[in-house]
């Protein structure tokens, strides 16, 4: 244990956010970080308790607590406290292939299980994790580890989101030749085209992908499985195929009318990301500039759409939430901080749903009819973004294929489990990689 009295000597100190009004002017990372000594003190608060519940993965009273990856949290916190960054990195990578992805975007169920939270405040586990991996890259500790021998087996991984990258990494480390198929122009999947760069900077993804390429993983981008090549063809060409297609099929809303300018959240966020990356000009119908924007939904994806619309120059944003206000607390998410700074109010409208949309003379969205507790209400809007959740994986990639007849086919991440956290997709992909490895070799050292 690094400092037995650390949780008494030091209070929880979180890194500050950049001022909301300032960060609205760019797509840069919205947070700052503590200095090294402050971060070390935060690691020193970890108690190394007899039963580290933070490393478990349980659900108590309907609330997920602990780490789905079973990260060795007390171990790397101790090494960070003692100034042993290489050892902290080694213990972090023992269970987590990509601590930068979880460090930047995970909502930290581990902190809900932290013993310190019982008497004071939880350890800043998430921020400590991010600090370790960022410092490791900055200090040149992240060198490629190329397998010493190759198995002679080949694996195709379809999808380069967090699950696909996790499976690819673990199987490559076992010596299998891995090719990752990605339908978009660059790897990352949801990380690149679904999570805005103000939450997960693109350079964080790019530096890891470059490392994976140096370790021998091949990326085939602009390769749309189900269109350019079939699953059956991949299964015939590779010893094993891992499908990591995510769960991006949107849950549709039912309302009357049709109009241009009505879109789903991931289409909207993906178009914005492609534009920022210089891949495509932004479709005018997906551009919030000068428009009143309505966002349906109350989750992280809805908040990302709000933050993106504000940066694009929306004149107003309203958030439509079907459940009552009593189900929610104060508007503290980063997007709500920014909407307060830009618009001067809480933009949420509770117990409100879209009943109908109406176009203008050109067919573009002009008006919404809403159902509210006070009866129907009409509001002007030129862009409607639907972030109402997901029903599962898109089906076109496997449509028509007899999947049961392909014994070398496996699934990983949200495609198998349903839409969830990045960390859960990565955890499931570890078990998938172990199953693939056992299929190819008869045994596995992947845990």
């Amino acid at each position: 244990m690094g400092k037995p009295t650390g949780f008494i000597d030091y209070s929880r100190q979180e890194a500050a956010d950049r001022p909301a009004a300032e960060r609205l002017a760019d797509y840069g990372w919205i947070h700052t970080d503590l200095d090294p000594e402050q971060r070390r003190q935060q690691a020193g608060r970890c108690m190394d308790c007899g039963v580290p519940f933070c490393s478990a993965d349980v659900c108590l009273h309907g609330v997920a607590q602990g780490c789905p990856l079973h990260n060795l949290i007390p171990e790397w916190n101790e090494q960070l406290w003692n100034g042993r960054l290489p050892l902290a990195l080694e213990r972090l990578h023992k269970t987590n292939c990509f601590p930068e992805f979880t460090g930047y975007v995970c909502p930290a169920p581990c902190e809900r299980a932290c013993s310190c939270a019982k008497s004071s405040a939880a350890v800043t586990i998430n921020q400590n994790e991010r600090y370790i991996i960022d410092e490791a890259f900055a200090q040149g500790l992240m060198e490629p580890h190329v397998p010493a021998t190759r198995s002679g087996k080949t694996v195709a991984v379809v999808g380069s989101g967090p699950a696909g990258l996790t499976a690819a990494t673990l199987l490559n480390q076992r010596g299998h030749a891995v090719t990752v198929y990605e339908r978009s122009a660059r790897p990352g999947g949801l990380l690149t085209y679904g999570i805005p760069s103000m939450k997960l900077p693109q350079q964080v993804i790019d530096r890891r992908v470059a490392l994976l390429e140096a370790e021998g993983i091949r990326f085939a981008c602009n390769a749309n499985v189900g269109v350019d090549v079939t699953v059956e063809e991949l299964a015939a060409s590779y010893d094993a195929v891992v499908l990591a297609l995510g769960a991006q099929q949107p849950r549709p809303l039912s309302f009357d009318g049709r109009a241009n300018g009505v879109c789903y959240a991931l289409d909207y966020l993906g178009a914005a990301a492609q534009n920022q990356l210089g891949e495509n000009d932004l479709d005018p119908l997906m551009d919030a500039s000068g428009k009143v924007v309505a966002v349906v939904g109350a989750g992280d994806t809805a908040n990302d759409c709000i933050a993106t619309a504000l940066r694009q120059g929306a004149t107003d944003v309203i958030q439509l939430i079907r459940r009552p206000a009593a189900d929610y607390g104060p508007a503290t998410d980063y997007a709500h901080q920014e909407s307060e700074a830009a618009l001067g109010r809480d933009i949420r409208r509770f117990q409100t749903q879209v009943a109908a949309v109406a176009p203008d003379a050109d067919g573009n969205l002009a008006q919404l009819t809403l159902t509210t507790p006070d009866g129907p209400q009409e509001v002007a809007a030129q862009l409607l973004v639907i972030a109402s959740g997901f029903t599962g994986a898109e089906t076109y990639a496997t449509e028509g294929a007899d999947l049961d007849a392909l014994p070398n086919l496996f699934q990983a991440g949200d495609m198998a489990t349903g839409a969830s956290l990045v960390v859960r997709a990565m955890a499931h992909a570890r078990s998938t990689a172990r199953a693939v490895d056992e299929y190819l070799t008869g045994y596995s050292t992947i845990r």
Side-chain angles (χ1 to χ4, degrees), residues 47-92:
M47 299 167 60
D48 193 13
C49 30
V51 179
F53 296 102
C54 58
S55 297
D57 179 23
V58 298
C59 185
L60 297 176
H61 307 295
V63 179
Q65 301 188 39
C67 179
L69 285 168
H70 305 291
N71 281 342
L72 306 174
I73 294 165
E75 296 186 24
W76 44 259
N77 269 327
E78 179 182 1
Q79 300 306 327
L80 181 55
W81 161 256
N82 287 316
R84 301 169 182 157
L85 183 64
L87 285 176
L89 178 67
E90 187 274 331
R91 300 317 288 164
L92 186 52

Side-chain angles (χ1 to χ4, degrees), residues 369-443:
T369 300
L370 307 177
T371 57
T372 76
D374 299 322
Q377 181 182 7
E378 294 183 345
V379 297
Q382 294 81 50
L383 177 60
L384 173 62
V385 183
I386 302 170
S388 54
F390 307 94
T391 61
E394 296 173 292
T395 59
Y396 76 89
T398 57
E399 198 164 14
D402 185 1
L403 302 184
D404 292 334
L406 304 174
N408 62 340
L409 189 65
F410 300 80
Q411 295 182 83
D414 286 359
M415 180 181 185
T417 64
S420 186
L421 305 177
V422 165
V423 67
R424 291 202 178 280
M426 292 166 61
H428 186 270
R430 292 188 75 93
S431 64
T432 299
R434 181 169 60 250
V436 173
D437 194 29
E438 290 173 348
Y439 171 80
L440 293 175
T441 65
Y443 75 101

Side-chain angles (χ1 to χ4, degrees), residues 94-95 170 430-431 434 438 443-447:
K94 188 75 174 177
T95 56
L170 294 170
R430 292 188 75 93
S431 64
R434 181 169 60 250
E438 290 173 348
Y443 75 101
S444 181
T445 58
I446 299 171
R447 293 293 179 265

